[in-house]
Amino acid sequence: MAQYKWIAPTVVAIGLLVGCGGGGGGADVVQTVPGTDVPLAAETNVGEVIAFAQRQIATTSDSSDPLILGGATLATSDSDEPADI
């Protein structure tokens, strides 16, 4: 019977650890065009191109590493209105 006295605390501890989930709430992962720093969505959506450009302007400094644009083909539109960047 002495061997069973640790079952309940063990089950409770496992339940608490599993309930925690271990998620750190980190930043969202953005898929990029292979071999570049360009978000994959920027190849198909003009709004994503503008959002990408705005993020780069807001976060880039003189000491930032250069972006790798490689062979990424940014989306374009003949019908969308020009946007401020």
Side-chain angles (χ1 to χ4, degrees):
M1 188 73 162
Q3 61 191 14
Y4 297 112
K5 69 179 182 179
W6 292 103
I7 291 177
T10 303
V11 170
V12 170
I14 290 172
L16 291 173
L17 289 174
V18 170
C20 173
D28 294 333
V29 175
V30 176
Q31 291 182 325
T32 58
V33 176
T36 73
D37 293 326
V38 178
L40 194 56
E43 287 198 318
T44 58
N45 185 326
V46 173
E48 290 295 326
V49 174
I50 294 168
F52 172 65
Q54 290 172 335
R55 280 192 306 272
Q56 294 311 309
I57 291 169
T59 60
T60 302
S61 69
D62 290 337
S63 61
S64 297
D65 289 333
L67 289 175
I68 300 171
L69 300 177
T73 305
L74 301 179
T76 59
S77 173
D78 292 331
S79 60
D80 286 355
E81 292 295 320
D84 292 331
I85 295 185

